[in-house]
Amino acid sequence: MATHALSPAAVAGYRGGLYEWLTTTDHKKIGILYVINSFLFFLIGGIFALLVRAELAAPGLQLFQNEHVYNESFTIHATVMIFLFIIPMLAGLGNFAVPLMIGAPDMAFPRINALSFWMLPLGGILLLMGFLTPGGAAAAGWTSYPPLAGNSPLASPGPGQDLWIASLVLIGTSSILGGINFLVTIFKMRAPGMTLFRMPIMVWTVLVTSILVVMATPVITSAIVMLYIDRNLGGSFFNPESGGIAVLYQNVFWFYSHPAVYVMVLPAMGVISEVLPVFSRKPLFGYKAFVFATAGIGALGFSVWAHHMFTTGAVFLPFFSLMTFLIAVPTGVKMFNWVFTMFRGQLTFSTPLLFAVGFLTMFLIGGINGAFSASVPVDFALHDTYWVVAHLHYVLFGGSAFGVFAGIYYWFPKMTGRMLDEGLGKVQFVLMFIGFNLTFFPMHILGVKGMPRRIADYASGAGWNDWNLVATIGGFLIGLSMLPFIWNVFVSLRNGKVAGNDPWEGNTLEWATTSPPPPYNFDRLPEIRSERPLFDARHGLVGHGEPEPGPALLEQPAPSGEVPAAPDDEAGVGEQTTTGEDLETKR
Amino acid sequence: MVLLLIAVVAVVFLTGAGSALYPPAPATDQAREIASLYDIVFAIAVAIFVAVEGLIVWSIIRYRRKPTDTDLPPQTHGNNFVEVLWTLIPTVIVLYLFVISWQTLNNIEAVSVDPDVRVHAVAGQFQWQFEYLDANGQVLATQSVPVADQGGGMAVPVGRTVYVTLDSPDVIHAWYVPRFLFKRDVVPGQTNHFEFTLDPSEAGQTYRGQCAELCGTGHRVMLFDVLALSQADFDAWLAALIEKSNATPPPLPSGATTLTLSAENIAYDTLELEVPADTPFAIQFANNDPPGVPHDADIRETDNTTVVQDQPTIDGGTSTTYTYDPLPAGTYTFICSVHPIPAMTGTLTVR
Amino acid sequence: MTAESRAVAASEAHGASHGTAVAGHAASRGISNPVLGMLLFITSEVMFFSGLFAAYFATRAANQPWPPAEFQGLLDPLSLILVATIILVASSFTCQFAVWSIRRGDRTGFIRNITVTFVLGVIFLGLQAVDYSILFSEGLTMGSGAFGTTYFTLTGFHGAHVFGGVLMLGVILYRGMLGQFSSRHHDAVEAVSLYWHFVDVVWIVLFSVLYLL
Ligand code: HEA
Ligand code: HEA
Ligand code: CUA
Ligand SMILES: [Cu+2]
């Protein structure tokens, strides 16, 4: 990769002062803000998780005076983790990476992008403000089923639940605007030659995720708006006493929230699909199959929602069971493609790859135990027990969160120009991996043995004591694993190894520009003739045959005549690229 | 290091935890069906896990980059044959799982035309009540003490079909007995039902049951027990319950003060009561909440926890007269033991 | 996307991040960014209303007879509401005329048509307010069981969208009067008109479902 020095002005513009960061509309800075904000909320959500674990370490109420505080804790834990950590964190990585990966100068609507971001801390503050209100914060679980989330005396009378609703509407709107922004960016702002089927898989996953967001998030908005009307305006959507239907909420809620679980994992799968090829020195196995599987998951995702409602006695069981089973198939396709990407490769175990492998091994467990629940009779036994808690953490933490850390280690050099420390990274990984399995594996056992979820306490004779203690120890180990990470970030920001443009020998366009990139991302772009433009620039088009013309969705230019085909040697990228100015003057 | 960890996890998964991952011994015919389905699902799951995890582990051991690896590895972009293969094989597996699940589902959801015992379970915050019905749906007797420790529980005869209907007056609860491998939600405004048959060998057993759907602060205390009795024991048990239900309360001692108290919308109508010291007194207590919302009026020390005099709960829509023994002068708390919230915690002044 | 349009997009994003007006210079070919963005936004709005409609139909199926006896005949299609419907449908036409005007470069025609659309939108809102007060006086409120709740939620959210649309029309009108639109440069107009048509279509569905079905 030829190096071209970044002009001092560009660097200054990139670093910027506080004011610059607060008012920025640069997608890279917004992406970084997303990541920082989401990480802070991860710590907050994690602290609530640790409170929950501390309470459950042994039978008897020790930590909390009463169950209400416990219910608040896991409700806020889950709401924060899902809506303020995992979804925005993935959106943030996407925000940083997608325009770079498709060779765009920025997102399509930079100011709306900034707006989307700033709604998040606001929503988070609204949510947490619940603790200051008389009735306390929301305590009806992250699913907030009415009538419990209604306002009758023993349900959720205080303003905490209303703040929960307001906060989720705000965060939802932020997601929708973000999703629209991603879609327009991906459809309209790809660099010349970047056909849809040359886009990095990360971009594909963000594309499908955004479609899910745009189609599903408004539906949860409608659900919680109806809940709000029931609570505050005398409505009776979900109140059976005045003609409402209690399970109606669940149908509407899960119509969103099942697709949403793919919102919570697809971009992480995208990260993995970037990391595995780079560190295996091989292309992603089965690129097209991967794209179709991603789209298939997105489509099937809308037809399985009632698998959360198997025990309500109000849904058509065989249909939802079948669809839920079927959704394992496209995910399986991805799993095998990932494994075969590593197969016969040359694996370098840098931290991003460690986390990626962590994702594979843990998500596999989470996915398979999800498929357990697709079998309705088995779900009758497992529903609302710790089995489900185990499932959701294996997919969300073992999957998505491992993917997030893989992404952070992978792109940190691009974001900051410096590498994170490998040693500390490995320490974090090992602690996190052990802690994670200690915490959540025993929950399978607890679930099968009949421990219901969302209970503040349990009888000491029920036989759940030991595994709960193990889980608590594991939970604190996960907490501990954050310390080397935080330390790593602070130390590496100052003293980390200087990254250079392309520390990992990456495949995708973001590695063609400087680290950090200039405000408009690229001074020059390599020619794009496959899904691995940088690899091609380094090694030539290996194993590709003639590049095929793109699909007819958007018109693409024919490979432009002015630019000679990429050479086979390592050196030439700099000389072989088309610059922005070139394009401008050609008009 | 990583490999070691993964290996450890795999070993744990297969050996120690493998048996721990097996559900408790099934007690009903339906549970046995579910357990044998679980066996198959579990076996297939373990097989898939071992195969895929094995592939991952093997790949990362076998294909680490060696110092000699300067050339690129073969740049395989994919292979349509294997893609089809690993689409089809999982499809076949899940279709098989779906079919056997569906069959089991049909078996466990089947209900008999004329069940031997009918129980109407009412779950309200935070208490279970079991009404025994005759063939026409008339209530024969109500078991309002849900747990065995307190001499209660939902008794059923072994070897007979038991048909349970579920109702809730307030929020969603769930009827869950781990050894039945079964739960069903209790949804307000919607009567759910299911049927089970206990194995005759289970007579004498007690099964722990618990509400499995978050229903508020008292969610975890919504415990109940199911008692498996022989037919003869069950008949005697039910007869005793019917007799108890019909019994009239003891007469009020003469000279006692009688107060009135009512409860509606999970709140007392007054939070201040006054009685003379050292004389017996009575409270005519009306529960105006809908059926399924039980209340009572216990007397406790002002610390809210030390019970002075305990009273049985009564169901919504009914009333009763509670009689209390004489109390020394002082202040006490009267409280609903089912709903110890401020709206149902009053001050009793004795002077 | 052509090299040319990419450069345009680049300069556009460039402009935007410096806070200068970025009304969406259309990429020279294909659908422009603001219009695509608006279409996606409308998709999400459709899903929002789908959630509400799903709730409506579920509740309706569970509550027979519908409307409940006490409110029988209250929602009469041949009343003020028909006038409101005609007005809203008409405004969709005038809105489209405005778009055609500006596409031709006819600024006065554009301003005239947008003004009419704006006024019609405001009249619709006024009529809806009158209609609400009539229903209130008949005893139908948000609290009158599932019937009242669904009616006021659906029409209320629609009204809120009309209100939003009227605001957008106001902005368009203002900018039009400042002369910011031309035959080549009027993506904002296209986007707002799409939104206005969407609001109209939702009303037609709503009217059919609530009053005719
Ligand atoms: C990232 C989030 C995420 C993801 C990706 C998934 C993925 C899946 N989930 Fe999960 N799920 C949650 C998050 C997620 N889930 C959450 C948060 C809850 C709880 C909500 C609450 O109540 O609070 C939940 C709950 C939940 C339930 C309800 C349980 C209950 O309450 O009773 C069910 C039931 O079917 C389910 C199923 C599945 C299935 C089948 C998948 C599939 O997509 C998994 C597919 C993957 C694989 C199967 C592994 C790889 C495949 C192969 C190697 C091929 C071969 C495999 C087979 C042939 C089986 N999930
Ligand atoms: C992305 C999603 C996500 C993540 C990452 C987590 C992470 C964790 N979760 Fe959570 N969880 C959910 C999503 C998630 N969870 C959901 C959806 C539910 C269902 C809720 C419901 O039923 O409604 C749930 C429920 C849930 C329960 C069940 C509660 C119940 O049903 O009663 C438990 C119990 O152990 C638990 C534990 C944990 C633990 C120990 C972690 C750990 O991984 C946390 C690790 C800890 C930290 C990250 C803290 C680090 C902090 C420090 C080290 C302090 C440093 C401080 C400063 C620098 C200021 N979670
Ligand atoms: Cu009742 Cu939980
Ligand atoms: Cu789901």
Side-chain angles (χ1 to χ4, degrees):
Chain A
M1 189 70 233
T3 52
H4 26 106
L6 200 52
S7 69
V11 175
Y14 185 74
R15 289 266 152 80
L18 184 64
Y19 179 78
E20 168 70 21
W21 277 91
L22 294 184
T23 55
T24 182
T25 57
D26 177 345
H27 76 95
K28 298 178 290 300
K29 286 189 178 168
I30 293 177
I32 292 170
L33 285 176
Y34 261 103
V35 169
I36 295 172
N37 181 65
S38 308
F39 186 74
L40 290 179
F41 277 108
F42 175 63
L43 292 183
I44 294 174
I47 288 169
F48 282 108
L50 297 185
L51 290 177
V52 163
R53 279 314 331 159
E55 179 56 65
L56 292 177
L61 280 185
Q62 304 89 16
L63 192 64
F64 298 139
Q65 295 309 304
N66 61 46
E67 289 88 340
H68 188 71
V69 190
Y70 179 84
N71 294 356
E72 287 174 303
S73 298
F74 71 72
T75 301
I76 298 301
H77 158 64
T79 309
V80 165
M81 285 299 196
I82 286 184
F83 295 107
L84 288 155
F85 162 55
I86 208 79
I87 295 181
M89 178 64 99
L90 295 168
L93 292 177
N95 226 303
F96 179 82
V98 164
L100 286 168
M101 286 180 141
I102 61 174
D106 203 324
M107 297 281 280
F109 308 109
R111 278 180 293 175
I112 291 184
N113 199 22
L115 176 69
S116 303
F117 168 72
W118 286 106
M119 287 165 120
L120 291 171
L122 196 64
I125 289 167
L126 271 185
L127 179 73
L128 295 176
M129 256 165 48
F131 284 103
L132 306 177
T133 65
W142 81 278
T143 49
S144 283
Y145 287 177
L148 182 63
N151 61 355
S152 67
L154 272 177
S156 317
Q161 190 71 42
D162 295 316
L163 285 170
W164 182 88
I165 294 174
S167 143
L168 255 59
V169 170
L170 207 62
I171 298 170
T173 310
S174 145
S175 283
I176 295 172
L177 293 180
I180 293 174
N181 217 337
F182 276 127
L183 288 174
V184 178
T185 308
I186 295 172
F187 281 131
K188 303 278 305 182
M189 310 216 0
R190 300 191 307 276
M194 178 61 77
T195 63
L196 283 178
F197 279 93
R198 287 178 196 160
M199 297 193 311
I201 290 293
M202 172 75 185
V203 179
W204 269 108
T205 55
V206 171
L207 172 74
V208 174
T209 300
S210 301
I211 294 175
L212 293 180
V213 164
V214 168
M215 308 248 324
T217 310
V219 180
I220 193 189
T221 309
S222 78
I224 58 183
V225 159
M226 289 189 267
L227 186 59
Y228 186 88
I229 290 172
D230 271 13
R231 289 175 54 81
N232 298 296
L233 306 174
S236 44
F237 281 108
F238 312 124
N239 183 354
E241 268 165 43
S242 45
I245 310 168
V247 287
L248 173 62
Y249 173 89
Q250 299 183 25
N251 275 306
V252 187
F253 178 86
W254 289 114
F255 184 85
Y256 156 77
S257 283
H258 188 85
V261 306
Y262 299 113
V263 172
M264 301 172 213
V265 82
L266 286 180
M269 291 178 164
V271 174
I272 300 308
S273 311
E274 298 307 323
V275 168
L276 287 174
V278 167
F279 293 90
S280 311
R281 305 185 80 204
K282 276 183 64 200
L284 185 72
F285 194 88
Y287 174 95
K288 284 235 168 103
F290 213 96
V291 171
F292 294 136
T294 306
I297 291 175
L300 281 176
F302 279 105
S303 59
V304 302
W305 76 89
H307 64 210
H308 299 272
M309 303 166 58
F310 282 159
T311 62
T312 56
V315 294
F316 185 60
L317 301 172
F319 172 77
F320 289 105
S321 170
L322 176 63
M323 297 317 274
T324 305
F325 270 127
L326 284 180
I327 211 162
V329 174
T331 317
V333 169
K334 296 183 159 201
M335 185 58 86
F336 293 117
N337 280 319
W338 284 321
V339 178
F340 271 68
T341 302
M342 300 191 297
F343 186 74
R344 295 168 69 186
Q346 295 166 357
L347 276 66
T348 314
F349 281 88
S350 303
T351 318
L353 184 67
L354 285 181
F355 278 100
V357 170
F359 175 110
L360 294 188
T361 51
M362 296 300 103
F363 183 80
L364 178 66
I365 298 180
I368 291 179
N369 71 20
F372 264 67
S373 302
S375 170
V376 181
V378 172
D379 187 63
F380 284 166
L382 300 178
H383 174 69
D384 265 340
T385 65
Y386 263 77
W387 179 277
V388 178
V389 180
H391 161 65
L392 72 89
H393 287 95
Y394 265 87
V395 283
L396 272 169
F397 195 113
S400 310
F402 274 76
V404 161
F405 281 104
I408 291 179
Y409 277 91
Y410 183 58
W411 280 308
F412 191 85
K414 188 50 64 181
M415 291 176 178
T416 64
R418 290 183 187 269
M419 310 287 289
L420 281 171
D421 183 79
E422 280 289 310
L424 284 170
K426 284 175 178 144
V427 170
Q428 182 205 352
F429 174 76
V430 170
L431 280 178
M432 202 161 119
F433 191 85
I434 299 177
F436 171 78
N437 281 292
L438 277 183
T439 315
F440 299 114
F441 198 82
M443 292 187 185
H444 291 108
I445 302 170
L446 290 171
V448 178
K449 301 285 176 232
M451 178 166 169
R453 58 194 283 206
R454 298 169 164 179
I455 53 173
D457 190 18
Y458 46 92
S460 70
W464 304 328
N465 302 7
D466 299 346
W467 289 121
N468 267 304
L469 186 61
V470 173
T472 300
I473 295 171
F476 280 86
L477 210 55
I478 303 177
L480 195 66
S481 75
M482 287 305 123
L483 301 180
F485 174 71
I486 296 169
W487 177 245
N488 197 347
V489 169
F490 278 107
V491 170
S492 302
L493 266 181
R494 286 169 190 285
N495 306 322
K497 203 169 96 202
V498 174
N501 291 356
D502 185 12
W504 310 118
E505 296 199 5
N507 291 332
T508 40
L509 288 183
E510 75 269 32
W511 306 108
T513 184
T514 51
S515 307
Y520 302 110
N521 291 351
F522 296 98
D523 288 338
R524 52 193 64 200
L525 275 171
E527 209 211 351
I528 302 156
R529 311 194 98 196
S530 78
E531 83 279 12
R532 294 191 298 170
L534 259 73
F535 181 91
D536 298 342
R538 235 181 277 118
H539 304 284
L541 283 169
V542 182
H544 251 292
E546 257 333 276
E548 18 175 337
L553 194 81
L554 284 172
E555 31 194 352
Q556 303 293 339
S560 79
E562 291 93 338
V563 187
D568 273 7
D569 66 26
E570 288 248 347
V573 182
E575 297 92 299
Q576 305 301 338
T577 53
T578 328
T579 66
E581 286 83 355
D582 287 346
L583 292 174
E584 208 118 26
T585 44
K586 264 172 219 149
R587 293 206 306 159
Chain B
M1 181 71 195
V2 190
L3 316 174
L4 198 74
L5 280 169
I6 293 167
V8 168
V9 173
V11 168
V12 169
F13 194 68
L14 291 175
T15 56
S19 62
L21 280 171
Y22 195 77
T28 64
D29 292 355
Q30 288 77 3
R32 255 192 306 282
E33 297 247 1
I34 298 178
S36 46
L37 175 66
Y38 184 97
D39 281 355
I40 302 175
V41 175
F42 186 66
I44 293 180
V46 171
I48 295 174
F49 172 79
V50 171
V52 182
E53 200 77 84
L55 255 176
I56 299 175
V57 173
W58 184 70
S59 297
I60 58 185
I61 295 173
R62 171 70 181 73
Y63 297 113
R64 336 192 58 159
R65 186 172 184 178
K66 297 170 210 68
T68 51
D69 287 338
T70 44
D71 293 349
L72 284 175
Q75 299 292 300
T76 339
H77 281 266
N79 177 324
N80 286 341
F81 174 71
V82 295
E83 298 289 349
V84 171
L85 203 65
W86 62 49
T87 309
L88 281 185
I89 294 177
T91 308
V92 171
I93 297 177
V94 294
L95 286 180
Y96 169 70
L97 286 174
F98 167 67
V99 170
I100 58 172
S101 303
W102 194 4
Q103 283 166 347
T104 310
L105 179 65
N106 287 337
N107 293 343
I108 60 177
E109 291 282 84
V111 291
S112 24
V113 190
D114 187 21
D116 298 325
V117 180
R118 294 162 199 262
V119 183
H120 180 220
V122 181
Q125 287 173 317
F126 299 102
Q127 157 121 1
W128 292 90
Q129 239 174 315
F130 303 103
E131 295 171 358
Y132 287 79
L133 310 179
D134 65 15
N136 304 319
Q138 294 302 306
V139 180
L140 295 169
T142 302
Q143 167 63 291
S144 51
V145 184
V147 288
D149 288 354
Q150 295 166 17
M154 169 182 156
V156 290
V158 295
R160 302 295 152 117
T161 51
V162 181
Y163 179 76
V164 183
T165 45
L166 299 165
D167 269 305
S168 160
D170 43 46
V171 303
I172 305 174
H173 307 268
W175 192 96
Y176 174 38
V177 176
R179 283 205 47 204
F180 289 18
L181 272 65
F182 185 80
K183 67 180 68 67
R184 174 119 321 153
D185 292 0
V186 190
V187 184
Q190 168 192 331
T191 304
N192 277 340
H193 62 81
F194 64 94
E195 194 173 285
F196 66 87
T197 308
L198 280 163
D199 195 83
S201 65
E202 297 282 324
Q205 294 279 354
T206 302
Y207 313 103
R208 191 182 52 77
Q210 182 162 10
C211 174
E213 178 68 50
L214 177 65
C215 52
T217 43
H219 168 50
R220 71 160 172 106
V221 300
M222 277 188 71
L223 307 169
F224 64 93
D225 291 300
V226 177
L227 317 173
L229 302 180
S230 67
Q231 182 69 49
D233 288 349
F234 173 73
D235 290 341
W237 181 90
L238 188 60
L241 190 68
I242 293 174
E243 194 172 330
K244 203 172 111 202
S245 301
N246 295 340
T248 43
L252 193 64
S254 57
T257 342
T258 304
L259 308 168
T260 57
L261 179 68
S262 66
E264 193 164 4
N265 288 330
I266 318 197
Y268 288 135
D269 61 339
T270 173
L271 295 179
E272 302 286 339
L273 290 177
E274 206 179 301
V275 292
D278 306 318
T279 27
F281 62 97
I283 296 180
Q284 274 179 352
F285 181 58
N287 180 347
N288 298 331
D289 272 318
V293 184
H295 295 299
D296 63 1
D298 292 353
I299 294 175
R300 297 185 184 172
E301 299 288 3
T302 43
D303 66 0
N304 266 5
T305 46
T306 318
V307 178
V308 180
Q309 289 182 33
D310 197 17
Q311 297 288 358
T313 59
I314 59 163
D315 194 17
T318 63
S319 53
T320 190
T321 303
Y322 290 137
T323 54
Y324 300 84
D325 298 332
L327 287 173
T331 39
Y332 300 84
T333 293
F334 66 97
I335 190 167
C336 170
S337 62
V338 187
H339 305 112
I341 56 170
M344 297 203 80
T345 308
T347 314
L348 175 74
T349 317
V350 182
R351 54 172 111 238
Chain C
M1 179 160 208
T2 61
E4 192 185 359
S5 65
R6 197 188 90 78
V8 173
S11 60
E12 217 181 271
H14 189 109
S17 46
H18 282 289
T20 48
V22 57
H25 219 103
S28 46
R29 266 182 280 163
I31 186 169
S32 75
N33 289 6
V35 171
L36 179 58
M38 181 54 88
L39 282 175
L40 291 166
F41 182 67
I42 290 174
T43 310
S44 82
E45 292 277 40
V46 168
M47 292 309 290
F48 175 78
F49 276 102
S50 306
L52 297 184
F53 273 113
Y56 172 82
F57 284 115
T59 326
R60 178 172 178 155
N63 287 274
Q64 291 301 336
W66 187 273
E70 40 177 333
F71 300 122
Q72 208 77 49
L74 192 58
L75 299 186
D76 178 8
L78 298 177
S79 64
L80 200 57
I81 211 73
L82 187 63
V83 181
T85 307
I86 293 169
I87 285 180
L88 197 62
V89 173
S91 77
S92 223
F93 280 93
T94 57
C95 186
Q96 196 55 34
F97 294 153
V99 174
W100 286 334
S101 306
I102 197 68
R103 278 193 200 153
R104 285 195 309 267
D106 171 5
R107 289 192 188 170
T108 31
F110 165 73
I111 290 176
R112 193 179 57 238
N113 281 315
I114 279 292
T115 312
V116 175
T117 312
F118 180 84
V119 171
L120 289 178
V122 172
I123 295 179
F124 176 86
L125 286 175
L127 288 180
Q128 198 173 29
V130 174
D131 191 51
Y132 271 18
S133 68
I134 295 175
L135 291 176
F136 287 154
S137 67
E138 298 278 347
L140 184 67
T141 63
M142 190 69 116
S144 351
F147 185 66
T149 307
T150 48
Y151 178 82
F152 284 106
T153 305
L154 281 168
T155 54
F157 270 106
H158 177 262
H161 282 75
V162 175
F163 183 71
V166 165
L167 288 185
M168 291 187 203
L169 286 171
V171 173
I172 294 299
L173 181 58
Y174 176 71
R175 290 183 51 189
M177 292 199 291
L178 293 184
Q180 291 186 359
F181 299 123
S182 66
S183 60
R184 287 197 57 216
H185 180 111
H186 57 269
D187 283 329
V189 178
E190 301 271 355
V192 170
S193 87
L194 283 174
Y195 185 79
W196 193 251
H197 293 323
F198 154 75
V199 166
D200 192 28
V201 170
V202 171
W203 177 257
I204 292 171
V205 176
L206 247 164
F207 180 74
S208 319
V209 165
L210 292 178
Y211 286 83
L212 303 179
L213 210 66

